[in-house]
């Protein structure tokens, strides 16, 4: 897991022929903490998919520029392109399943 605070670093990490999950969260958000823990555990078995965490409280300018106004928010990038974006109430299982499918397709 990478922790990123600026958009330039984020753009460098999501580029390339890979699948990247980006979670925007806050320490004051209990669902964000639970999601972070679940993704970290899942990522141990899916190490070819990169996981990035962006603390919104420390990255407010970047989050505002990217249209992040609620947490938790999840982005999934595939080959450098934003492919999936979910905010608020969503199924983490569905997102992780889709990320796995994108990874299989990308690496065929």
């Amino acid at each position: 897991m990478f922790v990123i605070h600026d958009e330039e670093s984020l753009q460098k990490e999501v580029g390339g022929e890979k699948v990247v999950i980006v979670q925007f969260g806050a320490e004051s958000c209990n669902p964000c903490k639970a999601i972070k823990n679940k993704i970290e555990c899942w990522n141990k078995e899916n190490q070819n998919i990169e996981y990035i965490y962006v603390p919104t409280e420390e990255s407010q300018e970047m989050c505002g520029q990217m249209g992040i106004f609620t947490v938790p928010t999840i982005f999934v990038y595939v080959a450098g392109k934003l492919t999936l974006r979910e905010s608020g109430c969503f199924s983490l299982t569905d997102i992780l399943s889709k990320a796995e499918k994108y990874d299989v397709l990308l690496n065929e």
Side-chain angles (χ1 to χ4, degrees):
M1 177 187 77
F2 293 101
V3 177
I4 290 183
H5 301 280
D6 62 274
E7 192 170 357
E8 183 179 332
S9 298
L10 179 64
Q11 293 307 318
K12 285 180 185 176
E13 288 299 323
V14 300
E17 294 297 312
K18 59 186 174 184
V19 177
V20 181
I21 296 174
V22 182
Q23 178 193 355
F24 296 86
E27 285 300 314
S28 59
C29 168
N30 286 329
C32 296
K33 291 178 192 176
I35 289 169
K36 183 178 177 184
N37 289 336
K38 287 181 181 179
I39 295 176
E40 285 175 340
C41 289
W42 172 86
N43 198 226
K44 289 176 184 173
E45 296 178 12
N46 297 276
Q47 293 180 0
N48 50 325
I49 298 175
E50 193 171 318
Y51 171 48
I52 296 172
Y53 181 78
V54 179
T56 57
E57 294 161 333
E58 300 168 21
S59 312
Q60 292 180 7
E61 184 177 333
M62 176 183 80
C63 292
Q65 291 173 349
M66 296 182 73
I68 309 297
F69 300 110
T70 187
V71 291
T73 294
I74 302 278
F75 285 4
V76 177
Y77 287 87
V78 178
K81 296 182 182 181
L82 180 59
T83 306
L84 182 63
R85 177 183 176 142
E86 295 288 341
S87 294
C89 184
F90 53 79
S91 169
L92 183 59
T93 303
D94 287 349
I95 291 172
L96 298 178
S97 176
K98 288 176 184 177
E100 289 174 12
K101 289 177 185 176
Y102 293 138
D103 187 56
V104 168
L105 291 172
L106 192 61
N107 291 306
E108 283 188 333

